[in-house]
């Protein structure tokens, strides 16, 4: 059977390399001015893109250029010029949202493969067919679709590639077409400058008189009630010590939906998170790689009920987020706003390996969270995650220590029976399990 593509975010060249090391088939990246990631974007110029594309192709992988900004008149010519220059570098496809630019690309560079961005909000099979007839090779479907709707779109367009988001942050607006950031901080989300205003903490204040500056903080519990529909239940405004997060959705985690998505014959499973850490990216990509490969093996064997292995659930439990939900894939479920951050229940990253001394059998590490000799640790590698004993540790001064602290570097000494392939050691992590 044809395996779906596992598509990972690449915020910069380093994160791209980790994505490939942990099992991604392709990555997507964009230039700051012309994709929806203007901040924390490491692909600053054509040289960065050229290096990324060359690296991907050397591995037999794919590199998609995200060019999904919705430009205003002042940016049209510069966008066209940038696209033509980037096309010459040989990306495997362009991810585009603006209809005008889709039409323009079909005229001036008809050989270029075009993927329609999720920003175009494709939610039905007629729209999908329209784009396919226009020359679009793949449509990235809206996050708001149920699985039954996705399979119906595929049934009506069997020759059109379909891509769906399976993991990552969810925008309160329709697939990210939001104006809240622009209104609050004058940073336009649709130009790649979103400051995540919807996810920030807010407090509720009382203003007893119109145009009165004597604000004072509310006390007690509060809810929102539709004044035109009093029969509807009030919406609780949950508030913790930081504030209320009414507009902050939980993250999509479609691990348990992977068998159904594969059975539907979808072409690409996409992970969100170009600004996430290399550890987050590696652990998530590894989890979905294992899920896809396991489901494929079970389907080949004719297993009637395909199941996600426990190891996949364990791996994803080491990922922080805002709490997980299947989104709309399992039906018209409501978004969940109970919290803005949840610690990973399985544990957390302790340190990232930055170098390996094979003679001393020691890893030089960049410490992310505090850990000691007595902590239960795993060594996380592209080929697996397994318990790992530590014999001793040294801090950045070379002094023997019992504990290493975040923001520092140190050395971790391993038993000789721990196999550390030297060619891949820089992609390893030490992961601290919950006691």
């Amino acid at each position: 059977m044809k395996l779906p593509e596992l598509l990972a975010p690449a915020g910069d060249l380093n994160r791209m390399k980790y994505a490939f090391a942990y099992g991604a088939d392709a990555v997507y990246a964009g230039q700051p001015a012309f994709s929806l990631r203007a901040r924390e974007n490491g692909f600053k110029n054509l040289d960065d893109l050229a290096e990324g594309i060359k690296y991907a192709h050397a591995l037999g992988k794919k590199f998609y250029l995200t060019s999904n900004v919705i430009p205003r008149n002042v940016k049209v010519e510069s966008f066209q010029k940038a696209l033509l220059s980037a096309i010459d570098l040989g990306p495997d496809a362009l991810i585009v949202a603006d209809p005008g630019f889709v039409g323009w690309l079909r005229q001036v560079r008809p050989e270029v493969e075009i993927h329609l961005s999720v920003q175009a909000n494709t939610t039905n099979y007629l729209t999908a067919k329209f784009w396919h007839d226009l020359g679009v090779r793949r449509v990235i479907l809206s996050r708001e679709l149920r699985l039954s709707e996705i399979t119906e779109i595929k049934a009506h367009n069997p020759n059109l590639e379909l891509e769906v988001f399976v993991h990552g942050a969810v925008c309160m607006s329709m697939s990210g077409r939001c104006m809240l950031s622009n209104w609050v901080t004058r940073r336009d989300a649709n130009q790649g400058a979103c400051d995540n205003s919807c996810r920030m903490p807010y407090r509720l204040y009382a203003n007893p008189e119109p145009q009165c500056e004597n604000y004072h903080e509310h006390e007690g519990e509060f809810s929102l009630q539709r004044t035109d529909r009093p029969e509807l239940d009030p919406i609780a405004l949950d508030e913790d010590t930081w504030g209320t997060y009414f507009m902050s959705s939980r993250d999509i985690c479609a691990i348990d939906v992977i068998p159904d998505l594969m059975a539907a014959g979808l072409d690409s499973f996409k992970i969100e998170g170009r600004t996430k850490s290399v550890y987050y990216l590696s652990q998530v990509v590894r989890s979905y790689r294992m899920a896809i490969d396991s489901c494929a093996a079970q389907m080949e064997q004719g297993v009637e009920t395909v199941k996600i292995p426990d190891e996949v659930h364990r791996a994803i439990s080491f990922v922080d987020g805002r709490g997980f939900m299947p989104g709309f894939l399992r039906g018209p479920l409501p978004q969940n706003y109970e919290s803005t951050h949840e610690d990973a229940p399985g544990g957390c990253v302790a340190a990232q390996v930055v170098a390996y001394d094979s003679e001393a059998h020691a890893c030089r590490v960049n410490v992310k969270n505090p850990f000691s000799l007595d902590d239960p640790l795993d060594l996380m590698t592209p080929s697996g995650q397994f318990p790992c004993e530590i014999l001793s540790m040294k801090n950045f001064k070379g002094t023997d220590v019992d504990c290493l602290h975040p923001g520092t570097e140190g050395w971790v000494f391993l038993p000789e029976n721990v196999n550390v392939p030297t060619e891949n050691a820089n992609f390893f992590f030490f992961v601290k399990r919950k006691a």
Side-chain angles (χ1 to χ4, degrees):
M1 64 175 295
K2 178 185 175 183
L3 289 180
E5 171 188 85
L6 180 57
L7 178 57
D12 54 32
L13 290 166
N14 187 47
R15 280 176 276 194
M16 177 196 70
K17 293 175 181 178
Y18 274 86
F20 285 138
Y22 277 85
D25 300 307
V27 297
Y28 61 98
Q31 297 168 287
F34 305 111
S35 72
L36 295 189
R37 288 296 183 274
R39 58 186 177 85
E40 300 181 50
N41 190 327
F43 291 92
K44 303 295 185 184
N45 50 50
L46 292 176
D47 290 339
D48 294 331
L49 287 177
E51 184 176 348
I53 294 169
K54 181 179 179 181
Y55 185 91
H57 290 172
L59 295 176
K61 309 284 188 175
K62 292 186 176 182
F63 187 107
Y64 302 142
L65 180 62
T66 303
S67 304
N68 60 347
V69 71
I70 308 293
R72 298 181 182 178
N73 291 333
V74 69
K75 193 181 277 190
V76 167
E77 290 186 7
S78 59
F79 192 12
Q80 290 175 317
K81 182 179 179 181
L83 277 179
L84 292 176
S85 298
I87 288 170
D88 291 338
L89 302 177
D92 295 279
L94 298 184
I95 302 175
V96 185
D98 189 282
F101 273 81
V102 172
W104 172 73
L105 285 167
R106 297 301 299 151
Q107 290 179 347
V108 300
R109 298 299 294 267
E111 78 283 4
V112 173
E113 183 171 317
I114 297 177
H115 295 179
L116 188 71
S117 171
V118 70
Q119 292 297 113
N121 298 332
T122 302
T123 59
N124 66 75
Y125 56 81
L126 280 180
T127 302
K129 183 180 185 302
F130 166 82
W131 289 113
H132 193 209
D133 291 344
L134 197 62
V136 170
R137 174 74 173 273
R138 175 186 297 181
V139 169
I140 306 167
L141 295 174
S142 170
R143 291 180 177 91
E144 291 76 28
L145 291 175
R146 297 189 294 274
L147 178 62
S148 60
E149 296 175 298
I150 294 172
T151 56
E152 188 175 4
I153 291 173
K154 186 64 176 178
H156 281 84
N157 298 275
N159 297 320
L160 172 65
E161 293 185 6
L162 295 183
E163 180 177 307
V164 294
F165 279 89
V166 294
H167 196 95
V170 181
C171 183
M172 274 289 299
S173 187
M174 183 73 166
S175 287
R177 298 298 300 275
C178 175
M179 296 302 296
L180 184 61
S181 172
N182 202 350
W183 180 58
V184 175
T185 63
R186 303 296 187 268
R187 290 173 54 178
D188 195 339
N190 300 314
Q191 300 299 315
C194 181
D195 75 339
N196 296 120
S197 294
C198 64
R199 301 192 186 280
M200 297 300 106
Y202 296 89
R203 285 210 178 276
L204 189 63
Y205 286 89
N207 186 357
E209 298 177 8
Q211 299 180 349
C212 173
E213 297 181 358
N214 185 25
Y215 292 98
H216 61 87
E217 190 170 341
H218 272 298
E219 296 178 355
E221 298 180 357
F222 302 92
S223 299
L224 294 180
Q225 173 69 59
R226 283 273 298 270
T227 56
D228 62 330
R229 296 285 303 279
E231 73 277 9
L232 297 179
D233 292 334
I235 301 173
L237 290 179
D238 296 326
E239 186 171 286
D240 59 20
T241 56
W242 298 101
T244 183
Y245 301 90
F246 174 65
M247 294 174 288
S248 183
S249 169
R250 290 196 171 208
D251 296 339
I252 287 179
C253 178
I255 282 288
D256 291 322
V257 194
I258 291 298
D260 295 327
L261 293 172
M262 290 181 64
L266 301 182
D267 300 277
S268 182
F269 296 166
K270 189 170 194 173
I271 295 168
E272 184 275 340
R274 276 184 278 170
T275 62
K276 298 289 189 178
S277 70
V278 290
Y279 167 73
Y280 172 97
L281 176 64
S282 302
Q283 190 69 281
V284 172
V285 169
R286 173 175 169 263
S287 300
Y288 282 88
R289 179 77 275 158
M290 289 192 295
I292 292 170
D293 292 345
S294 175
C295 290
Q298 294 177 65
M299 290 175 176
E300 289 282 0
Q301 295 168 7
V303 175
E304 184 174 347
T305 303
V306 177
K307 296 182 178 180
I308 299 297
D310 291 340
E311 176 58 22
V312 174
H313 289 113
R314 179 175 182 269
I316 206 68
S317 75
F318 283 85
V319 177
D320 283 345
R322 298 178 180 90
F324 292 147
M325 65 173 184
F328 293 89
L329 292 171
R330 286 296 193 195
L333 301 176
Q335 307 281 35
N336 190 315
Y337 312 107
E338 290 181 357
S339 65
T340 188
H341 177 84
E342 288 190 6
D343 292 331
C348 64
V349 58
Q352 178 182 348
V353 176
V354 295
Y356 178 67
D357 184 338
S358 58
E359 292 186 3
H361 219 56
C363 297
R364 184 163 65 89
V365 297
N366 186 333
V367 184
K368 303 299 182 181
N369 284 291
F371 67 99
S372 65
L373 285 172
D374 297 330
D375 285 329
L377 295 176
D378 287 355
L379 187 62
M380 176 182 146
T381 78
S383 59
Q385 182 172 326
F386 51 87
C388 181
E389 178 188 2
I390 293 179
L391 298 180
S392 62
M393 298 190 299
K394 294 182 183 292
N395 62 18
F396 66 97
K397 296 180 180 179
T399 304
D400 288 326
V401 293
D402 294 328
C403 182
L404 290 174
H405 301 281
T408 66
E409 288 197 352
W411 286 93
V412 172
F413 294 84
L414 305 177
E416 293 185 1
N417 63 352
V418 177
N419 182 27
V420 179
T422 55
E423 68 275 11
N424 286 322
N426 59 316
F427 293 115
F428 289 14
F429 298 90
F430 286 97
V431 180
K432 184 165 66 173
R433 302 190 305 273
K434 288 286 179 67

Coordinates of all heavy atoms in Angstrom, one line a residue, residues 157-191:
N157 N -12.9 13.3 -5.6 CA -11.7 13.8 -6.2 C -10.6 12.8 -6.0 O -9.6 13.1 -5.4 CB -11.3 15.2 -5.7 CG -12.3 16.3 -5.9 OD1 -12.4 16.9 -7.0 ND2 -13.2 16.5 -4.9
P158 N -10.7 11.6 -6.6 CA -9.7 10.6 -6.3 C -8.4 10.9 -6.9 O -7.4 10.3 -6.4 CB -10.3 9.3 -7.0 CG -11.3 9.9 -8.1 CD -11.8 11.1 -7.5
N159 N -8.2 11.7 -7.9 CA -6.9 12.1 -8.4 C -6.3 13.3 -7.8 O -5.2 13.7 -8.2 CB -7.1 12.2 -9.9 CG -7.5 11.0 -10.6 OD1 -7.1 9.9 -10.3 ND2 -8.4 11.1 -11.6
L160 N -7.0 13.9 -6.9 CA -6.4 15.1 -6.2 C -5.8 14.7 -4.9 O -6.4 14.0 -4.1 CB -7.6 16.1 -5.9 CG -7.2 17.3 -5.1 CD1 -6.2 18.2 -5.7 CD2 -8.5 18.1 -4.7
E161 N -4.6 15.1 -4.7 CA -3.9 14.8 -3.4 C -4.6 15.7 -2.3 O -4.8 16.9 -2.5 CB -2.4 15.1 -3.5 CG -1.7 14.2 -4.4 CD -0.2 14.4 -4.3 OE1 0.3 15.2 -3.5 OE2 0.5 13.8 -5.2
L162 N -4.8 15.0 -1.1 CA -5.4 15.7 0.0 C -4.4 15.6 1.2 O -3.9 14.6 1.5 CB -6.7 15.2 0.4 CG -7.8 15.3 -0.6 CD1 -9.1 14.7 -0.1 CD2 -8.0 16.8 -1.0
E163 N -4.3 16.8 1.9 CA -3.4 16.9 3.0 C -4.2 17.3 4.2 O -5.0 18.2 4.1 CB -2.2 17.8 2.7 CG -1.2 18.1 3.9 CD -0.1 19.0 3.4 OE1 0.5 18.7 2.3 OE2 0.1 20.0 4.0
V164 N -4.0 16.7 5.4 CA -4.7 17.1 6.6 C -3.7 17.4 7.7 O -2.7 16.7 7.8 CB -5.7 16.1 7.0 CG1 -6.8 15.9 6.0 CG2 -5.1 14.7 7.3
F165 N -4.1 18.3 8.6 CA -3.3 18.5 9.8 C -3.6 17.4 10.9 O -4.8 17.2 11.1 CB -3.6 19.9 10.4 CG -2.8 21.0 9.8 CD1 -3.4 21.7 8.7 CD2 -1.6 21.4 10.3 CE1 -2.7 22.7 8.1 CE2 -0.9 22.5 9.7 CZ -1.5 23.1 8.6
V166 N -2.6 16.8 11.4 CA -2.8 15.8 12.4 C -2.3 16.2 13.8 O -2.7 15.5 14.8 CB -2.2 14.4 12.0 CG1 -2.8 13.9 10.7 CG2 -0.6 14.6 11.8
H167 N -1.5 17.2 13.9 CA -1.0 17.6 15.2 C -0.6 19.0 15.2 O 0.0 19.5 14.3 CB 0.3 16.7 15.6 CG 0.6 16.7 17.0 ND1 0.1 15.8 17.9 CD2 1.3 17.6 17.8 CE1 0.6 16.1 19.1 NE2 1.3 17.2 19.1
G168 N -0.9 19.7 16.4 CA -0.4 21.0 16.6 C -1.4 22.0 17.0 O -2.6 21.6 17.3
A169 N -1.0 23.3 17.1 CA -1.9 24.3 17.6 C -3.1 24.6 16.7 O -3.0 24.4 15.5 CB -1.1 25.6 17.7
V170 N -4.2 25.0 17.3 CA -5.4 25.3 16.5 C -5.8 26.7 16.8 O -5.8 27.2 17.9 CB -6.6 24.4 17.0 CG1 -7.8 24.7 16.2 CG2 -6.2 22.9 16.9
C171 N -6.1 27.4 15.7 CA -6.5 28.8 15.8 C -8.0 28.9 16.0 O -8.8 28.2 15.5 CB -6.1 29.6 14.5 SG -6.5 31.3 14.6
M172 N -8.4 29.9 16.9 CA -9.8 30.1 17.2 C -10.5 30.5 15.9 O -11.7 30.3 15.8 CB -10.0 31.1 18.3 CG -9.9 30.6 19.7 SD -11.3 29.6 20.0 CE -12.6 30.8 19.9
S173 N -9.8 31.2 15.0 CA -10.5 31.7 13.8 C -10.5 30.6 12.7 O -10.0 29.5 12.9 CB -9.7 32.9 13.2 OG -10.4 33.5 12.2
M174 N -11.2 30.8 11.7 CA -11.4 29.8 10.6 C -10.0 29.6 9.9 O -9.6 30.3 9.1 CB -12.4 30.3 9.6 CG -12.7 29.4 8.5 SD -13.7 28.0 9.1 CE -14.3 27.3 7.5
S175 N -9.4 28.5 10.3 CA -8.1 28.1 9.8 C -7.1 29.3 9.8 O -6.3 29.4 8.8 CB -8.2 27.5 8.4 OG -8.8 26.2 8.4
G176 N -7.1 30.1 10.8 CA -6.1 31.1 10.9 C -6.5 32.4 10.3 O -5.7 33.4 10.4
R177 N -7.6 32.6 9.6 CA -8.0 33.8 9.0 C -8.5 34.8 10.1 O -9.7 34.9 10.3 CB -9.0 33.6 7.9 CG -8.5 32.8 6.8 CD -7.3 33.4 6.1 NE -7.6 34.7 5.5 CZ -8.1 34.9 4.3 NH1 -8.4 33.8 3.6 NH2 -8.4 36.1 3.9
C178 N -7.6 35.4 10.8 CA -8.0 36.1 12.1 C -7.5 37.5 12.0 O -6.5 37.9 11.4 CB -7.3 35.4 13.3 SG -7.5 36.2 14.8
M179 N -8.3 38.4 12.7 CA -8.0 39.8 12.8 C -7.7 40.3 14.2 O -7.5 41.4 14.5 CB -9.1 40.7 12.2 CG -9.3 40.5 10.7 SD -7.8 40.8 9.7 CE -7.6 42.5 10.0
L180 N -7.8 39.4 15.2 CA -7.7 39.7 16.6 C -6.3 40.3 16.9 O -6.2 41.4 17.5 CB -7.9 38.5 17.5 CG -7.9 38.8 19.0 CD1 -9.0 39.8 19.3 CD2 -8.1 37.5 19.8
S181 N -5.2 39.7 16.4 CA -3.9 40.2 16.6 C -3.7 41.6 16.0 O -3.1 42.5 16.6 CB -2.9 39.2 16.0 OG -1.6 39.8 16.0
N182 N -4.3 41.8 14.8 CA -4.2 43.1 14.2 C -4.9 44.2 15.0 O -4.4 45.3 15.2 CB -4.8 43.1 12.8 CG -4.2 44.1 11.9 OD1 -3.6 45.1 12.3 ND2 -4.5 44.0 10.6
W183 N -6.0 43.8 15.6 CA -6.8 44.8 16.4 C -6.1 45.1 17.7 O -6.1 46.2 18.1 CB -8.2 44.2 16.6 CG -9.1 45.0 17.4 CD1 -9.5 46.3 17.1 CD2 -9.7 44.7 18.6 NE1 -10.4 46.8 18.1 CE2 -10.5 45.8 19.0 CE3 -9.7 43.6 19.4 CZ2 -11.3 45.8 20.2 CZ3 -10.5 43.6 20.6 CH2 -11.2 44.7 21.0
V184 N -5.5 44.1 18.3 CA -5.0 44.3 19.7 C -3.6 44.9 19.6 O -3.3 45.8 20.4 CB -4.9 42.9 20.4 CG1 -4.2 43.1 21.8 CG2 -6.3 42.4 20.7
T185 N -2.7 44.4 18.7 CA -1.3 44.9 18.7 C -0.9 45.4 17.4 O 0.3 45.7 17.2 CB -0.4 43.7 19.1 OG1 -0.5 42.7 18.1 CG2 -0.7 43.2 20.5
R186 N -1.8 45.6 16.4 CA -1.4 46.1 15.1 C -0.5 45.1 14.4 O 0.3 45.6 13.5 CB -0.9 47.5 15.1 CG -1.8 48.5 15.8 CD -3.1 48.7 15.0 NE -3.8 49.8 15.6 CZ -4.8 49.6 16.5 NH1 -5.0 48.4 17.0 NH2 -5.5 50.7 17.0
R187 N -0.5 43.9 14.7 CA 0.3 42.9 14.0 C -0.6 41.9 13.2 O -1.4 41.2 13.8 CB 1.2 42.1 15.0 CG 2.3 43.0 15.6 CD 3.1 42.3 16.7 NE 3.6 41.0 16.2 CZ 4.3 40.2 17.0 NH1 4.6 40.6 18.3 NH2 4.8 39.0 16.6
D188 N -0.5 42.0 11.9 CA -1.5 41.3 11.1 C -1.2 39.8 11.0 O -0.2 39.4 10.4 CB -1.5 41.9 9.7 CG -2.7 41.5 8.9 OD1 -3.3 40.5 9.2 OD2 -3.0 42.3 7.9
A189 N -2.1 39.0 11.5 CA -1.9 37.5 11.4 C -1.8 37.0 10.0 O -1.1 36.1 9.6 CB -3.0 36.8 12.2
N190 N -2.6 37.7 9.1 CA -2.7 37.2 7.7 C -1.5 37.7 6.9 O -1.4 37.4 5.7 CB -4.0 37.7 7.1 CG -5.2 37.1 7.8 OD1 -5.2 35.9 8.1 ND2 -6.1 38.0 8.1
Q191 N -0.6 38.4 7.5 CA 0.7 38.8 6.9 C 1.9 38.1 7.6 O 3.0 38.4 7.4 CB 0.9 40.3 6.9 CG -0.2 41.1 6.1 CD -0.3 40.7 4.7 OE1 0.8 40.6 4.0 NE2 -1.5 40.5 4.2

